[in-house]
mmCIF file of all heavy atoms in Angstrom:
data_model
loop_
_atom_site.group_PDB
_atom_site.id
_atom_site.type_symbol
_atom_site.label_atom_id
_atom_site.label_comp_id
_atom_site.label_asym_id
_atom_site.label_seq_id
_atom_site.Cartn_x
_atom_site.Cartn_y
_atom_site.Cartn_z
ATOM 1 N N PRO A 1 76.092 -29.193 -113.995
ATOM 2 C CA PRO A 1 77.406 -29.065 -114.639
ATOM 3 C C PRO A 1 77.386 -29.673 -116.039
ATOM 4 O O PRO A 1 76.725 -30.697 -116.268
ATOM 5 C CB PRO A 1 78.344 -29.854 -113.731
ATOM 6 C CG PRO A 1 77.611 -30.047 -112.456
ATOM 7 C CD PRO A 1 76.146 -29.987 -112.777
ATOM 8 N N LEU A 2 78.083 -29.032 -116.970
ATOM 9 C CA LEU A 2 78.172 -29.527 -118.339
ATOM 10 C C LEU A 2 79.618 -29.925 -118.624
ATOM 11 O O LEU A 2 80.545 -29.207 -118.246
ATOM 12 C CB LEU A 2 77.711 -28.458 -119.323
ATOM 13 C CG LEU A 2 76.243 -28.050 -119.185
ATOM 14 C CD1 LEU A 2 75.949 -26.832 -120.040
ATOM 15 C CD2 LEU A 2 75.328 -29.203 -119.542
ATOM 16 N N PRO A 3 79.817 -31.049 -119.302
ATOM 17 C CA PRO A 3 81.181 -31.523 -119.542
ATOM 18 C C PRO A 3 81.848 -30.825 -120.717
ATOM 19 O O PRO A 3 81.194 -30.226 -121.575
ATOM 20 C CB PRO A 3 80.958 -33.006 -119.869
ATOM 21 C CG PRO A 3 79.614 -33.036 -120.505
ATOM 22 C CD PRO A 3 78.807 -31.983 -119.796
ATOM 23 N N SER A 4 83.161 -30.909 -120.749
ATOM 24 C CA SER A 4 83.933 -30.492 -121.917
ATOM 25 C C SER A 4 83.645 -31.490 -123.035
ATOM 26 O O SER A 4 83.454 -32.675 -122.774
ATOM 27 C CB SER A 4 85.420 -30.511 -121.579
ATOM 28 O OG SER A 4 86.204 -30.356 -122.730
ATOM 29 N N HIS A 5 83.611 -31.014 -124.267
ATOM 30 C CA HIS A 5 83.387 -31.946 -125.377
ATOM 31 C C HIS A 5 84.681 -32.606 -125.822
ATOM 32 O O HIS A 5 84.665 -33.641 -126.487
ATOM 33 C CB HIS A 5 82.712 -31.230 -126.562
ATOM 34 C CG HIS A 5 83.569 -30.206 -127.205
ATOM 35 N ND1 HIS A 5 84.345 -30.476 -128.294
ATOM 36 C CD2 HIS A 5 83.784 -28.908 -126.896
ATOM 37 C CE1 HIS A 5 85.005 -29.387 -128.636
ATOM 38 N NE2 HIS A 5 84.683 -28.415 -127.791
ATOM 39 N N TYR A 6 85.845 -32.025 -125.425
ATOM 40 C CA TYR A 6 87.142 -32.559 -125.827
ATOM 41 C C TYR A 6 88.186 -31.955 -124.891
ATOM 42 O O TYR A 6 88.260 -30.734 -124.764
ATOM 43 C CB TYR A 6 87.413 -32.191 -127.285
ATOM 44 C CG TYR A 6 88.789 -32.502 -127.805
ATOM 45 C CD1 TYR A 6 89.309 -33.785 -127.745
ATOM 46 C CD2 TYR A 6 89.574 -31.504 -128.374
ATOM 47 C CE1 TYR A 6 90.564 -34.070 -128.232
ATOM 48 C CE2 TYR A 6 90.828 -31.784 -128.870
ATOM 49 C CZ TYR A 6 91.323 -33.064 -128.791
ATOM 50 O OH TYR A 6 92.579 -33.344 -129.274
ATOM 51 N N GLU A 7 88.976 -32.766 -124.235
ATOM 52 C CA GLU A 7 89.895 -32.303 -123.200
ATOM 53 C C GLU A 7 91.027 -31.410 -123.707
ATOM 54 O O GLU A 7 91.660 -30.713 -122.932
ATOM 55 C CB GLU A 7 90.466 -33.490 -122.421
ATOM 56 C CG GLU A 7 89.425 -34.212 -121.585
ATOM 57 C CD GLU A 7 88.690 -33.301 -120.617
ATOM 58 O OE1 GLU A 7 89.321 -32.447 -119.971
ATOM 59 O OE2 GLU A 7 87.455 -33.443 -120.513
ATOM 60 N N ARG A 8 91.296 -31.395 -125.024
ATOM 61 C CA ARG A 8 92.348 -30.527 -125.570
ATOM 62 C C ARG A 8 91.768 -29.316 -126.298
ATOM 63 O O ARG A 8 92.489 -28.567 -126.943
ATOM 64 C CB ARG A 8 93.275 -31.313 -126.491
ATOM 65 C CG ARG A 8 93.949 -32.439 -125.778
ATOM 66 C CD ARG A 8 95.437 -32.563 -125.750
ATOM 67 N NE ARG A 8 96.244 -31.725 -126.571
ATOM 68 C CZ ARG A 8 97.198 -30.927 -126.080
ATOM 69 N NH1 ARG A 8 97.411 -30.862 -124.787
ATOM 70 N NH2 ARG A 8 97.944 -30.221 -126.878
ATOM 71 N N CYS A 9 90.472 -29.095 -126.169
ATOM 72 C CA CYS A 9 89.822 -27.935 -126.787
ATOM 73 C C CYS A 9 90.395 -26.651 -126.180
ATOM 74 O O CYS A 9 90.563 -26.549 -124.965
ATOM 75 C CB CYS A 9 88.308 -28.004 -126.544
ATOM 76 S SG CYS A 9 87.415 -26.525 -127.066
ATOM 77 N N PHE A 10 90.679 -25.641 -127.010
ATOM 78 C CA PHE A 10 91.184 -24.363 -126.522
ATOM 79 C C PHE A 10 90.189 -23.694 -125.577
ATOM 80 O O PHE A 10 90.577 -23.063 -124.600
ATOM 81 C CB PHE A 10 91.490 -23.415 -127.690
ATOM 82 C CG PHE A 10 91.883 -22.038 -127.230
ATOM 83 C CD1 PHE A 10 93.159 -21.805 -126.733
ATOM 84 C CD2 PHE A 10 90.983 -20.990 -127.272
ATOM 85 C CE1 PHE A 10 93.523 -20.548 -126.279
ATOM 86 C CE2 PHE A 10 91.343 -19.733 -126.822
ATOM 87 C CZ PHE A 10 92.613 -19.505 -126.328
ATOM 88 N N GLY A 11 88.903 -23.843 -125.846
ATOM 89 C CA GLY A 11 87.897 -23.175 -125.032
ATOM 90 C C GLY A 11 87.603 -23.858 -123.720
ATOM 91 O O GLY A 11 87.611 -23.234 -122.658
ATOM 92 N N CYS A 12 87.335 -25.172 -123.763
ATOM 93 C CA CYS A 12 86.840 -25.849 -122.559
ATOM 94 C C CYS A 12 87.715 -27.000 -122.085
ATOM 95 O O CYS A 12 87.433 -27.581 -121.033
ATOM 96 C CB CYS A 12 85.427 -26.373 -122.810
ATOM 97 S SG CYS A 12 85.334 -27.624 -124.116
ATOM 98 N N GLY A 13 88.764 -27.319 -122.802
ATOM 99 C CA GLY A 13 89.572 -28.478 -122.441
ATOM 100 C C GLY A 13 90.507 -28.232 -121.276
ATOM 101 O O GLY A 13 91.248 -27.252 -121.259
ATOM 102 N N ARG A 14 90.462 -29.121 -120.314
ATOM 103 C CA ARG A 14 91.355 -29.007 -119.153
ATOM 104 C C ARG A 14 92.804 -29.294 -119.517
ATOM 105 O O ARG A 14 93.716 -28.848 -118.828
ATOM 106 C CB ARG A 14 90.918 -29.979 -118.059
ATOM 107 C CG ARG A 14 89.649 -29.547 -117.359
ATOM 108 C CD ARG A 14 89.253 -30.556 -116.336
ATOM 109 N NE ARG A 14 88.773 -31.727 -117.074
ATOM 110 C CZ ARG A 14 88.063 -32.709 -116.562
ATOM 111 N NH1 ARG A 14 87.782 -32.690 -115.293
ATOM 112 N NH2 ARG A 14 87.643 -33.702 -117.294
ATOM 113 N N ASP A 15 93.025 -30.061 -120.591
ATOM 114 C CA ASP A 15 94.380 -30.469 -120.947
ATOM 115 C C ASP A 15 95.055 -29.533 -121.946
ATOM 116 O O ASP A 15 96.173 -29.807 -122.366
ATOM 117 C CB ASP A 15 94.363 -31.892 -121.519
ATOM 118 C CG ASP A 15 93.963 -32.922 -120.475
ATOM 119 O OD1 ASP A 15 94.069 -32.614 -119.263
ATOM 120 O OD2 ASP A 15 93.529 -34.019 -120.860
ATOM 121 N N HIS A 16 94.408 -28.448 -122.339
ATOM 122 C CA HIS A 16 95.051 -27.483 -123.237
ATOM 123 C C HIS A 16 95.910 -26.562 -122.372
ATOM 124 O O HIS A 16 95.401 -25.901 -121.472
ATOM 125 C CB HIS A 16 94.015 -26.671 -124.008
ATOM 126 C CG HIS A 16 94.606 -25.912 -125.145
ATOM 127 N ND1 HIS A 16 95.443 -24.841 -124.958
ATOM 128 C CD2 HIS A 16 94.497 -26.086 -126.479
ATOM 129 C CE1 HIS A 16 95.827 -24.372 -126.127
ATOM 130 N NE2 HIS A 16 95.266 -25.126 -127.063
ATOM 131 N N PRO A 17 97.222 -26.498 -122.636
ATOM 132 C CA PRO A 17 98.108 -25.775 -121.716
ATOM 133 C C PRO A 17 97.828 -24.273 -121.581
ATOM 134 O O PRO A 17 98.033 -23.707 -120.502
ATOM 135 C CB PRO A 17 99.504 -26.020 -122.285
ATOM 136 C CG PRO A 17 99.291 -26.455 -123.690
ATOM 137 C CD PRO A 17 97.936 -27.099 -123.746
ATOM 138 N N THR A 18 97.363 -23.621 -122.627
ATOM 139 C CA THR A 18 97.117 -22.172 -122.551
ATOM 140 C C THR A 18 95.669 -21.821 -122.869
ATOM 141 O O THR A 18 95.350 -20.662 -123.131
ATOM 142 C CB THR A 18 98.047 -21.403 -123.509
ATOM 143 O OG1 THR A 18 97.819 -21.868 -124.843
ATOM 144 C CG2 THR A 18 99.508 -21.587 -123.128
ATOM 145 N N GLY A 19 94.794 -22.812 -122.832
ATOM 146 C CA GLY A 19 93.391 -22.594 -123.176
ATOM 147 C C GLY A 19 92.641 -21.785 -122.136
ATOM 148 O O GLY A 19 93.190 -21.366 -121.108
ATOM 149 N N LEU A 20 91.356 -21.585 -122.402
ATOM 150 C CA LEU A 20 90.504 -20.817 -121.508
ATOM 151 C C LEU A 20 90.089 -21.618 -120.282
ATOM 152 O O LEU A 20 89.790 -21.048 -119.241
ATOM 153 C CB LEU A 20 89.250 -20.362 -122.260
ATOM 154 C CG LEU A 20 89.481 -19.542 -123.525
ATOM 155 C CD1 LEU A 20 88.146 -19.175 -124.153
ATOM 156 C CD2 LEU A 20 90.312 -18.315 -123.232
ATOM 157 N N HIS A 21 90.016 -22.931 -120.425
ATOM 158 C CA HIS A 21 89.556 -23.812 -119.350
ATOM 159 C C HIS A 21 88.174 -23.375 -118.851
ATOM 160 O O HIS A 21 87.890 -23.379 -117.655
ATOM 161 C CB HIS A 21 90.564 -23.870 -118.204
ATOM 162 C CG HIS A 21 91.932 -24.262 -118.649
ATOM 163 N ND1 HIS A 21 93.065 -23.680 -118.150
ATOM 164 C CD2 HIS A 21 92.354 -25.154 -119.583
ATOM 165 C CE1 HIS A 21 94.125 -24.190 -118.739
ATOM 166 N NE2 HIS A 21 93.716 -25.103 -119.611
ATOM 167 N N LEU A 22 87.336 -22.991 -119.811
ATOM 168 C CA LEU A 22 85.980 -22.520 -119.521
ATOM 169 C C LEU A 22 85.165 -23.636 -118.874
ATOM 170 O O LEU A 22 85.159 -24.765 -119.348
ATOM 171 C CB LEU A 22 85.314 -22.080 -120.826
ATOM 172 C CG LEU A 22 83.941 -21.458 -120.759
ATOM 173 C CD1 LEU A 22 83.983 -20.152 -119.960
ATOM 174 C CD2 LEU A 22 83.436 -21.162 -122.167
ATOM 175 N N VAL A 23 84.509 -23.308 -117.777
ATOM 176 C CA VAL A 23 83.646 -24.253 -117.066
ATOM 177 C C VAL A 23 82.232 -23.688 -117.118
ATOM 178 O O VAL A 23 82.002 -22.535 -116.755
ATOM 179 C CB VAL A 23 84.104 -24.426 -115.599
ATOM 180 C CG1 VAL A 23 83.141 -25.310 -114.834
ATOM 181 C CG2 VAL A 23 85.516 -24.982 -115.555
ATOM 182 N N MET A 24 81.289 -24.498 -117.596
ATOM 183 C CA MET A 24 79.912 -24.040 -117.778
ATOM 184 C C MET A 24 78.937 -25.000 -117.105
ATOM 185 O O MET A 24 79.236 -26.172 -116.908
ATOM 186 C CB MET A 24 79.573 -23.950 -119.273
ATOM 187 C CG MET A 24 80.445 -23.008 -120.085
ATOM 188 S SD MET A 24 80.147 -21.258 -119.778
ATOM 189 C CE MET A 24 78.597 -21.020 -120.649
ATOM 190 N N GLU A 25 77.755 -24.449 -116.803
ATOM 191 C CA GLU A 25 76.671 -25.260 -116.266
ATOM 192 C C GLU A 25 75.360 -24.792 -116.879
ATOM 193 O O GLU A 25 75.232 -23.638 -117.277
ATOM 194 C CB GLU A 25 76.611 -25.153 -114.734
ATOM 195 C CG GLU A 25 76.315 -23.757 -114.228
ATOM 196 C CD GLU A 25 76.423 -23.643 -112.714
ATOM 197 O OE1 GLU A 25 77.062 -24.496 -112.076
ATOM 198 O OE2 GLU A 25 75.850 -22.686 -112.180
ATOM 199 N N ALA A 26 74.416 -25.729 -116.954
ATOM 200 C CA ALA A 26 73.076 -25.373 -117.416
ATOM 201 C C ALA A 26 72.374 -24.681 -116.264
ATOM 202 O O ALA A 26 72.325 -25.195 -115.147
ATOM 203 C CB ALA A 26 72.312 -26.621 -117.844
ATOM 204 N N ASP A 27 71.852 -23.497 -116.555
ATOM 205 C CA ASP A 27 71.139 -22.684 -115.570
ATOM 206 C C ASP A 27 69.637 -22.988 -115.594
ATOM 207 O O ASP A 27 68.945 -22.804 -114.616
ATOM 208 C CB ASP A 27 71.310 -21.218 -115.972
ATOM 209 C CG ASP A 27 71.916 -20.369 -114.904
ATOM 210 O OD1 ASP A 27 72.306 -20.905 -113.872
ATOM 211 O OD2 ASP A 27 71.986 -19.151 -115.128
#
């Protein structure tokens, strides 16, 4: 699993209300 770089990021942040909430892992 790879972490979000910033919790309010539109792409990966869990705390962005309308963001993508993208979850990624190293394969």
Side-chain angles (χ1 to χ4, degrees):
L2 297 171
S4 169
H5 66 94
Y6 172 56
E7 293 304 318
R8 300 236 350 123
C9 172
F10 174 77
C12 63
R14 287 178 288 196
D15 294 340
H16 193 291
T18 59
L20 303 180
H21 305 140
L22 185 63
V23 175
M24 300 288 285
E25 63 187 20
D27 237 5

